[in-house]
Amino acid sequence: MVTAPGAPAGPEAGVGGGTGSRGGAGQALGRALRAVPVPLALIAMIGLAGAVLGRVYAGPLLTRLVLGAAVGSVLVSVASRRLPSWLVAPISVTAMAGWTALSLRLAATRAELPGGLADITADAAANGIPRLLTAMIPVEPTPDTVLVPLVAAWLAGLAGAEVALRAGRVLLGYLPAALLYAAALYVVGPNADPAIGTTLAFVAVAAVGLAVPAAGPVTAAGDPSAGLAPAVRAAVRARLAAASAAGLAVVVALAALLGPALAGRVDGRPVDPRRYVEPPQVEALDESPLIRISGWALNPGQKLLDVRADGPAEPAPTGTPEPAPDADAGPDADGRPTPIRLAVLSDYDGVTWRVGATYRNAGRILPATAPAPDSSVRTVRQEITIADLTGRLLPAVATPREVTGARVAYDPTTGTLIRPEGLTPGLRYTVTSAAETPDTTLLSTADVPAGDEVARVLRVADGVPDPLRRLATQLAESNGASYARAAAVEQFLAEHYRLVADAPSGHAYPNLNFFLFGPRNAGGQRGTSEQFAAAFAVLGRLAGLPTRVVVGFRSTGDGPVRAGDAYAWPEVLFDGLGWVPFDPLPRPDEEPRPVEEDFRPTPEEPPPSEVPQPTVEPTQPPEPEAAPGGPADPGGPSTALLVGGGTGGTLLLVVAALLVLLLMRRSQTRARLERGDPGQRIAGAWREVTDALRLAGRPVGGDLAATEIAAQAHRALADATAAHPSAGRDARIDELAGLINQVAFAPGTATEEQADRAAATATAYVTGLRAARPRWRRLLWSVRPGPLRWHR
């Protein structure tokens, strides 16, 4: 049989061809198997980043969406490997837009957010990062809290796949996924347990992705020394071994150097990035809604909101006692009134009761807090429609657990809500609340808590009028138990004062002093619920009771809530019972008794002793009377000359006194900032700051910590410079507070450099605060004698 030259002969040809075909298929399968681990490793690493971030989210939705983004981005790059590299990015971004739109729609549906997809996407894109960093934990997966993680995960998958698969740089391709994982750890911060297991899994997946493609038999095609002379081959292999050994040594050295430091960070508390982002704030109108009571009282018919019960309320257990009269508004399922709460005011500086809450963006489901052990809980569900109510504070029965129809921010400490975008007429939302009713049978024996946890609601600002302090002392001395003291304050206010609608607004110390002790014929001893609630809270704190003021509305059930339904009431914190409302308002059918029957604002002075005065006998003859012809010539200087000389002398004395005060003040400042050891100079700089606050009308209490005084100093300068933008600001008061703490708790450790910084900080702050004062106050700043005599 004749065969063509070069053609394989019969059987051998068939056998050889089959063997070659099977070998090619095996090699192709091997290459495919070796190409799979890297994409799978990228998907797993990005998915683990989503799992780490998902620990602060409510439910698994975010983790699933991030995993979907990882799968989609990597598979798009794998499928587009044969296309030009410049086409991959547009294709992948188009796929990302589709997946993002689907995810946002799913998140909006889960959160029951109204509006179209375009509006939801635009709002999420504009507010995604700040809302993510200010959201309450656990974070509800809403469009604005999932958009940033989704886009970041997709872009990490795209970049990693292109570098690792197209360029063949696997280790460099892992960098985007590693950065995403580190960002997730940073965002979570101290708000979850350490992700040790997830981190080990991340490292293991990365190691498998690096090792598996290089596994398999070494062929001649894969040997870099193949085809070389034996001597050259040996030299190449020796260099490769040396390079591998050097790389291994570097890895081991880095592990030995960085391992202990990394291990020590496992139990450390990470930095919370939320501290760098300002949470949603209330407007100036809402900072102290207590001052709005008098305005609402003058327009009682103004419709503020509409309330409709959305389904029956869950009844309280049988035998639950009645709440304090008039402490609530609006009946629940048992016919008992339930108030609609607007704001809780916990901070008082002697001038204004303020909200002082820290609001965090929240989703539909609000984090639950444990109820007081000795209180019963019932569920109240209401649909509320805003009418003429303005501001950001969102009315709701305490304590809200679920809100639909409005985006809210929530403060779990006070259980109050705000709408960061502000209230608008027609806004309708549904709120489900867990209303607590304390067991009032336990009040007579209940005690009030003490310590740092309640220091905020026990703090009394400086400048308390003496009659207020003496009245609180009298009521406390007559009643030893905590509830008895609170009831005594409540009864005293209800029996001696009149509730009117036309009383002027104001609850500073002078206003309360006039309300309690002013003459009735001049408008004293009468006020709105603003003065009653504020007076109760101040007297309660002076008597050792943790108190706060609540502003809200009475509601008779379904129907409108008008301005006349707005009122304020005080609350006292009891162990085991939580915050218990009190009602210091007088009964409509009772005439108030005079305050003097039970308390005298001015202490009685003892009558003077009747001692007869001795008679003094004249020792000189009487002066002769002037002749009737006219006044005698005194023979001295004229009256005009005497008046002019006296006036000029007085002016000279005043100018001399001012110059002496100026020199003494400057000498005091130099002595504080320049003389003594570093600790004394730092203490002197701190005295300069506190004296400046007192000169500016913002004195600090002796019970405040240095950090609290620094925060008050920042607020004082910010308030002062709001009307004078040209005045300077200095942000190093916090550093000065740290230095004064160092001096107090570690004497002798301060350095001259620290003392110089403290002096410069104090000088800059005082200069900035003084520059923000009116011109005539700046002139008097340096000559006021107060800092020379104020007790340290």
Side-chain angles (χ1 to χ4, degrees), residues 710-750:
Q712 185 168 333
H714 280 298
R715 289 195 300 270
L717 185 57
D719 295 342
T721 55
H724 298 78
S726 60
R729 292 173 179 259
D730 191 279
R732 293 192 299 170
I733 296 298
D734 294 333
E735 180 184 356
L736 181 54
L739 291 176
I740 196 66
N741 281 332
Q742 176 183 343
V743 171
F745 297 105
T749 60

Side-chain angles (χ1 to χ4, degrees), residues 84-115:
S85 59
W86 60 270
L87 278 178
V88 178
I91 295 173
S92 185
V93 170
T94 303
M96 178 184 70
W99 177 252
T100 302
L102 178 63
S103 301
L104 295 184
R105 170 53 65 188
L106 179 60
T109 303
R110 291 279 187 94
E112 300 181 11
L113 293 181

Side-chain angles (χ1 to χ4, degrees), residues 582-595:
F582 283 80
D583 177 28
L585 301 181
R587 303 298 177 262
D589 55 346
E590 295 182 1
E591 185 68 19
R593 296 189 293 110
V595 175

Side-chain angles (χ1 to χ4, degrees), residues 194-230:
I196 299 177
T198 312
T199 303
L200 293 177
F202 185 90
V203 174
V205 168
V208 170
L210 288 171
V212 171
V218 179
T219 63
D223 187 359
S225 62
L228 300 177

Side-chain angles (χ1 to χ4, degrees), residues 527-542:
T528 64
S529 62
E530 172 189 358
Q531 284 78 35
F532 280 89
F536 181 101
V538 173
L539 291 171
R541 291 191 179 185
L542 290 172

Side-chain angles (χ1 to χ4, degrees), residues 23 27 94 136 161 394 691 735 767:
Q27 292 177 0
T94 303
M136 180 166 296
L394 202 65
D691 284 353
E735 180 184 356
T767 301

Side-chain angles (χ1 to χ4, degrees), residues 197-267:
T198 312
T199 303
L200 293 177
F202 185 90
V203 174
V205 168
V208 170
L210 288 171
V212 171
V218 179
T219 63
D223 187 359
S225 62
L228 300 177
V232 177
R233 184 185 303 120
V236 169
R237 289 178 176 175
R239 291 180 180 178
L240 291 175
S244 300
L248 180 62
V250 170
V251 171
V252 171
L254 289 176
L257 292 175
L258 302 180
L262 294 177
R265 298 289 297 176
V266 171
D267 295 330

Side-chain angles (χ1 to χ4, degrees), residues 355-407:
V355 171
T358 300
Y359 292 97
R360 293 288 183 183
N361 287 306
R364 179 173 53 92
I365 305 298
L366 303 177
T369 55
D374 297 320
S375 297
S376 60
V377 180
R378 65 185 184 277
T379 300
V380 178
R381 184 178 175 89
Q382 293 178 324
E383 182 183 79
I384 299 178
T385 304
I386 300 298
D388 290 340
L389 185 64
T390 57
R392 294 183 179 180
L393 292 168
L394 202 65
V397 171
T399 302
R401 288 291 175 260
E402 179 179 350
V403 180
T404 58
R407 187 187 305 278

